[in-house]
């Protein structure tokens, strides 16, 4: 793991919604470049940019038609170079999103593959004859609704897609696919990027026999949402297959030569299954269980204990993501939800590993209400299903029409977040704003990381509503209950930081208000 990654804080830029530099309503690289100062001031270290490659945008860039270029709606390769150079000048590292599980159906590899059985790229994808009697070759389902197979009339076979039909899965058993991605990694590393967030990192390898996934219980109802249908199966043959980490070991050799980081989107909800990915393959894996809990002390305590036991220093802790509701909404919404989201960030940031904010988390934003204007294919193609647009609403930079995000018509509405007090400019001027509280928290976190480096997490008993642990000379405590908690410290200490007003240390007792996290420094 590169030194710079240790104790870093990450930030997700959802490029379409971050900052629009050319007035077409879609965020882009020039817009991002102009706003890099905000990220440096915020105190994050690493910026992850979601896919900006040429793409028909069937899944908003996660359907890549050329891995070695920039989509004109986002800018040019020179714009990317400028973002990287300026970010580096500000002390920020840049990670880009690598999408190796599938390409776009418009990628030249797939266009060639579907042309004939004998095409050079045919076996770069997963093709099978119909099942005896017709129909898809097995019972796998797509994350986005319907079967994971689409019949291709021209050659009379089905192709596999764990996501949209416009996102055919690559065949990672093919050595040329592996070699092609080695070159893609080298291309971007030579351009100066500092690492990759690897999309769907748990799924590249599939069962070679493509066996059916067993149902966990009853078959899903005919009107079940894609998420419900997906959850009805034991995904033992399409996810988390034995050979997948070999790919990351191979990439690790390339990344190490460039002091770069590999961070996997390993979307597995059993933390124990993450260890294998980070033990000697990836530098880090997103810990998605951290993104799924409600505001419940017991639930969060048990989840974090399991994640820490699986290896906290290999974890990246997402506060929110472009695929899930924002933390403030998850924790109840409004001012209370934002305050809780800040406390939760304090808790995650007190652990070893890398906390990640989604753009807008620093403003305490809720999910925007996008009803009637949805873009996410999950919502658009599956009536009744909840899509992911709520956490993708555009950034609010300053008061005024377009909120400094765009001079044009935003591609997705701002939704319920449309208010001047939510903008970065208004919050920057108010010392008590969410934005300034996040800045102070990240400052304090740097101090915690410096003194607690290498120390194990030791869980402390602090009552039902408080989650507390010690790392070296620091105690981290988060109060999820009502009123003020009194937390007995292992020794007398001094308050380093609290995410809300009203916390105090009196000898060996921490007084902690509701929905707040505190860092306490013990002697030694
Ligand atoms: C990941 C991305 C998500 C995308 C999917 C398919 O989960 O985060 O946005 O839809 O992969 O590429």
């Amino acid at each position: 793991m590169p030194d710079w990654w240790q104790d870093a804080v990450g930030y997700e830029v959802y490029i379409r919604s971050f900052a629009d530099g050319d007035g077409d309503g879609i965020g882009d690289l020039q817009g991002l470049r102009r706003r890099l100062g905000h990220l440096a001031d915020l105190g994050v270290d690493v910026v992850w940019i979601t896919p900006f490659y040429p793409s028909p945008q069937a899944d908003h860039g996660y359907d890549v038609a050329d891995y070695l270029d920039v989509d004109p709606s986002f800018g040019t390769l020179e714009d990317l170079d400028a973002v990287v150079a300026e970010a580096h000048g500000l002390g920020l590292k840049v990670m880009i999103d690598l999408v190796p599980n599938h390409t776009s159906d418009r990628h030249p590899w797939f266009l060639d593959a579907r042309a004939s059985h004998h095409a050079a790229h045919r076996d770069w994808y997963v093709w099978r004859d119909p099942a005896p009697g017709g129909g898809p070759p097995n019972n796998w389902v797509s994350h986005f609704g319907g079967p994971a197979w689409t019949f291709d009339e021209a050659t009379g076979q089905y192709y596999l897609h764990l996501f949209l039909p416009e996102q055919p899965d690559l065949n990672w058993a093919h050595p040329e696919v592996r070699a092609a991605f080695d070159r893609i990694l080298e291309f971007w590393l030579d351009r100066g990027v500092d690492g990759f967030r690897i999309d769907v990192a748990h799924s590249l390898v599939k069962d070679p026999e493509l066996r059916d996934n067993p149902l966990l219980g009853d078959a899903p109802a005919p009107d079940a949402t894609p998420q419900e249908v997906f959850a009805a199966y034991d995904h033992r043959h399409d996810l988390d297959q034995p050979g997948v980490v070999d790919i990351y070991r191979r990439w690790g050799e390339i990344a190490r030569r460039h002091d770069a980081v590999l961070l996997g989107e390993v979307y597995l909800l059993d933390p124990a299954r993450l260890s294998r990915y980070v033990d000697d393959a990836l530098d880090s894996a997103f810990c998605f269980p951290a993104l799924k809990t409600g505001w419940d002390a017991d639930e969060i305590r048990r989840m974090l204990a399991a994640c820490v036991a699986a290896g906290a220093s290999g974890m990246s802790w997402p506060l929110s993501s472009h695929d899930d509701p924002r933390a403030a909404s998850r924790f109840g919404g409004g001012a209370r939800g934002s305050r809780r989201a800040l406390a939760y960030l304090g808790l995650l940031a007190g652990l070893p590993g890398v906390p990640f904010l989604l753009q807008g988390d620093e403003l305490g934003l809720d999910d925007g209400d996008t009803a009637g204007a949805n873009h996410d294919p999950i919502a658009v193609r599956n009536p009744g299903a909840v899509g992911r647009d709520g956490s993708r609403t555009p950034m609010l930079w300053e008061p005024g029409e377009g909120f400094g995000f765009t001079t044009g018509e935003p591609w997705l509405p701002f939704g319920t977040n449309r208010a001047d007090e939510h903008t970065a400019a208004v919050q920057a001027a108010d010392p008590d704003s969410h934005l300034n509280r996040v800045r102070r928290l990240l400052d304090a976190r740097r101090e915690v990381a410096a003194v607690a480096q290498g120390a194990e997490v030791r869980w402390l008993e602090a009552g039902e509503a408080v989650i507390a642990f010690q790392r070296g000379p620091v105690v981290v405590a988060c109060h999820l209950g009502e009123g003020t908690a009194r937390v007995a410290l292992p020794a007398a200490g001094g308050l380093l930081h609290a995410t809300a007003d009203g916390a105090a240390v009196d000898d060996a007792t921490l007084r902690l208000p509701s929905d707040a996290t505190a860092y306490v420094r013990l002697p030694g």
Side-chain angles (χ1 to χ4, degrees), residues 446-506:
R446 256 185 290 282
E447 207 176 322
V448 169
V451 295
Q453 208 176 49
E456 296 280 299
V457 173
R458 285 194 18 237
W459 298 99
L460 302 175
E461 188 49 62
E464 250 172 59
V466 175
I467 300 171
F469 58 87
Q470 186 175 348
R471 267 181 78 204
V474 176
V475 169
V476 176
C478 176
H479 179 209
L480 292 89
E482 302 294 329
T484 298
R486 295 172 66 81
V487 180
L489 299 166
L495 185 68
L496 256 179
H497 182 74
T499 60
D501 301 337
V505 173
D506 195 1

Side-chain angles (χ1 to χ4, degrees), residues 267-514:
Y267 216 119
L268 301 171
L269 297 183
D270 172 5
R273 291 169 79 176
L274 295 178
S275 316
R276 168 169 99 81
Y277 289 81
V278 290
D279 280 351
D280 65 347
L282 297 173
D283 297 293
S284 186
F286 273 121
C287 182
F288 284 98
L291 202 53
K292 298 292 177 187
T293 55
W295 194 243
D296 180 277
D298 207 38
E299 194 188 348
I300 294 178
R301 188 184 295 115
R302 272 188 282 118
M303 178 276 296
L304 287 181
C307 297
V308 167
S313 56
M315 301 288 172
S316 286
W317 307 103
L319 180 61
S320 306
S321 96
H322 69 282
D323 292 326
D324 294 272
R326 289 185 175 123
S329 296
R330 195 153 52 89
F331 295 145
R336 187 139 207 223
S338 304
R339 176 179 165 120
R340 288 172 170 173
L342 183 64
Y344 192 60
L345 177 62
L347 187 62
L348 298 178
L351 291 165
V354 176
F356 259 83
L357 291 88
L358 169 66
Q359 62 186 49
D361 278 342
E362 75 276 34
L363 306 176
L365 295 189
D366 270 333
D367 278 1
D369 176 6
T370 57
N374 280 323
H375 274 253
D376 179 19
I378 295 184
V380 173
R381 301 189 190 191
N382 301 279
V386 178
R388 301 168 293 176
D389 289 315
S391 61
R392 299 176 177 184
T393 55
M395 269 295 274
L396 299 168
W397 292 106
E398 57 223 10
E401 209 181 331
F403 287 102
F405 166 67
T406 184
T407 53
E409 189 61 35
W411 73 281
L412 194 64
F414 296 99
T416 29
N417 287 316
R418 282 188 80 88
D420 291 356
E421 76 257 28
H422 291 147
T423 61
V426 170
Q427 292 201 25
D430 171 7
D432 285 333
S433 67
H434 197 89
L435 175 62
N436 279 316
R437 286 182 190 273
V438 172
R439 284 186 182 146
R440 291 196 291 272
L441 169 65
L442 297 183
D443 275 349
R445 195 252 181 195
R446 256 185 290 282
E447 207 176 322
V448 169
V451 295
Q453 208 176 49
E456 296 280 299
V457 173
R458 285 194 18 237
W459 298 99
L460 302 175
E461 188 49 62
E464 250 172 59
V466 175
I467 300 171
F469 58 87
Q470 186 175 348
R471 267 181 78 204
V474 176
V475 169
V476 176
C478 176
H479 179 209
L480 292 89
E482 302 294 329
T484 298
R486 295 172 66 81
V487 180
L489 299 166
L495 185 68
L496 256 179
H497 182 74
T499 60
D501 301 337
V505 173
D506 195 1
D507 208 17
T509 303
L510 163 68
R511 275 188 290 115
L512 191 54
S514 174

